[in-house]
Amino acid sequence: MKIFVYHTPELTPTDTVPECAIAVDVLRATSTMATVLAAGGEAVQVFSDLNQLMEVSEQWPPEKRLRAGERGGAKVAGFELGNSPLDCIPELVAGKRLFISTTNGTRALQRIQNAPIVLAAALINRAAVVQFLLEKQPETVWIVGSGWEGSYSLEDTVCAGAIAHSIVQQSSYAQQEISGNDEVVSAIALYSQWQDNLQGLLYQASHGQRLLRLECNEDLKYCSQTDILDILPIQTEPGVLKSQNN
């Protein structure tokens, strides 16, 4: 298994696809997706374009859909939800499809949607992702951070490091064996330094500070937890993710 970490969707190679691609948007799209599916959501369907989201979701019965829209960290007017995983309680989402568009996370998923296996990962479901990788042993794995509007983000990199670190810990692979690029080494180093204070790292991240200004402190606390959801969002058709329970 060779793991490659890309800090933003724009940095991924354009002439190839991996056997397995993993989108990461800790703050907050992939955290929200995992939470929705853990709470009994039927599926999550992602869009980069808000108008397209409205058009497709209109074809679903109102009682079977929820619309989540976020731009700049704030909820889009006219949508039931923004991008907070804490709003995704079973009473609201069970049995429904979440149609979601966010500033960064949905772009990452769309960039990798042609890979044979596409997963959504966050810190909260890290263990489920690692277990899947150890069982399936894909030859090449891309972990693609969403970043923030095309630039590096600490929270997505530390999650990539958490996944790679756990694979090294739980397998016979040496770190240098699985590292497909230098970014893997740096992501593992970042996680190793901050693993006991991930909430502190998220507070230092520029997007963490942006969310604090929006009074989303509880979201930061929630998203900084590791391995609390045994849920694996896996793409079943382009742009649609469903739960594969471990």
Side-chain angles (χ1 to χ4, degrees):
M1 190 190 312
K2 280 283 184 197
I3 299 174
F4 298 80
V5 169
Y6 298 102
H7 296 311
T8 66
E10 293 80 7
L11 290 171
T12 56
T14 55
D15 58 348
T16 183
V17 292
E19 191 178 341
C20 177
I22 303 169
V24 176
D25 186 5
V26 171
L27 296 175
R28 295 164 287 171
T30 53
S31 297
T32 296
M33 292 171 193
T35 303
V36 165
L37 294 174
E42 179 264 333
V44 175
Q45 190 161 353
V46 302
F47 299 84
S48 53
D49 182 81
L50 290 168
N51 292 327
Q52 189 188 14
L53 185 158
M54 293 300 288
E55 196 178 308
V56 173
S57 63
E58 279 296 328
Q59 298 163 24
W60 284 70
E63 69 276 9
K64 289 289 185 184
R65 71 176 184 228
L66 280 171
R67 295 167 176 150
E70 170 267 320
R71 290 293 182 269
K75 182 164 91 75
V76 176
F79 282 64
E80 290 99 343
L81 297 169
N83 191 19
S84 173
L86 299 180
D87 292 338
C88 302
I89 56 175
E91 294 85 348
L92 181 64
V93 305
K96 296 180 183 175
R97 176 168 294 208
L98 182 76
F99 297 86
I100 185 170
S101 179
T102 71
T103 307
N104 304 293
T106 48
R107 278 180 28 254
L109 276 161
Q110 290 196 318
R111 170 64 194 90
I112 60 175
Q113 68 182 15
N114 292 327
I117 302 169
V118 176
L119 310 174
L123 290 166
I124 56 175
N125 72 325
R126 186 263 311 254
V129 172
V130 169
Q131 184 182 336
F132 178 88
L133 294 175
L134 291 172
E135 285 174 4
K136 300 292 184 187
Q137 294 286 324
E139 206 166 300
T140 50
V141 179
W142 290 2
I143 306 177
V144 181
S146 300
W148 176 260
E149 296 182 345
S151 61
Y152 175 95
S153 70
L154 280 170
E155 67 276 6
D156 293 344
T157 305
V158 83
C159 182
I163 293 167
H165 179 272
S166 190
I167 285 172
V168 171
Q169 294 284 343
Q170 295 185 49
S171 70
S172 57
Y173 293 116
Q175 183 175 309
Q176 64 202 50
E177 282 182 273
I178 66 159
S179 297
N181 58 4
D182 286 355
E183 288 88 334
V184 178
V185 180
S186 65
I188 290 174
L190 182 69
Y191 175 72
S192 297
Q193 182 175 344
W194 286 92
Q195 59 184 314
D196 297 324
N197 186 20
L198 290 170
Q199 188 177 325
L201 180 67
L202 267 55
Y203 282 175
Q204 292 207 18
S206 58
H207 192 39
Q209 292 178 20
R210 195 176 289 112
L211 290 172
L212 287 172
R213 289 193 292 274
L214 292 168
E215 300 183 349
C216 297
N217 183 40
E218 293 303 314
D219 277 16
L220 289 182
K221 286 184 184 174
Y222 177 79
C223 294
S224 67
Q225 300 174 95
T226 49
D227 310 336
I228 60 168
L229 297 181
D230 187 19
I231 206 88
L232 187 71
I234 187 164
Q235 182 173 267
T236 55
E237 60 185 274
V240 177
L241 294 102
K242 296 191 176 185
S243 161
Q244 178 177 306
N245 294 75
N246 289 318

